[in-house]
Amino acid sequence: QVQLVESGGGLVQPGGSLRLSCAASGIVFNAYAMGWYRLAPGKQRELVAGITSGGTTNYADSVKGRFTISRDNTKNTVYLQMNSLKPEDTAVYYCNAEYGTAYWGQGTQVTVSS
């Protein structure tokens, strides 16, 4: 069946970097748009970054210039490189795959704190 498995979260100091990975199985990966969402306590879920099957990317204004989404279709994996992290980036980050039907990963915690 369909599985999206995130990894790479953790605790990092402000200004630090993390790279999140999402490994997909059970889908024709290259047909799907992929995205990273985040959910922080007391806030709405927001789209952080998205990448189409053709490689076009888009970002939330709050992360533009700091985060980079990419995909490796040979590995069925999407990445989120996060640089210059801020405390307000603290959230659970979720991987999403969409091609008519949307699938979600279990989430990985990112905590930015000194």
Side-chain angles (χ1 to χ4, degrees), residues 33-53:
M34 303 296 298
W36 288 96
Y37 290 74
R38 67 187 180 188
L39 181 63
K43 294 186 176 181
Q44 299 280 338
R45 183 180 65 190
E46 66 171 336
L47 175 65
V48 177
I51 184 167
T52 69
S53 61

Side-chain angles (χ1 to χ4, degrees), residues 4-27:
L4 303 176
V5 181
E6 300 101 329
S7 61
L11 175 64
V12 65
Q13 293 185 342
S17 297
L18 288 172
R19 188 176 76 156
L20 306 183
S21 299
C22 172
S25 60
I27 62 172

Side-chain angles (χ1 to χ4, degrees), residues 46-84:
E46 66 171 336
L47 175 65
V48 177
I51 184 167
T52 69
S53 61
T56 301
T57 60
N58 66 285
Y59 299 91
D61 288 341
S62 60
V63 308
K64 196 170 298 180
R66 300 187 297 120
F67 291 9
T68 303
I69 188 171
S70 62
R71 65 192 297 160
D72 185 343
N73 289 342
T74 70
K75 297 183 177 182
N76 287 3
T77 300
V78 63
Y79 305 95
L80 185 67
Q81 178 66 48
M82 304 186 295
N83 299 326
S84 302

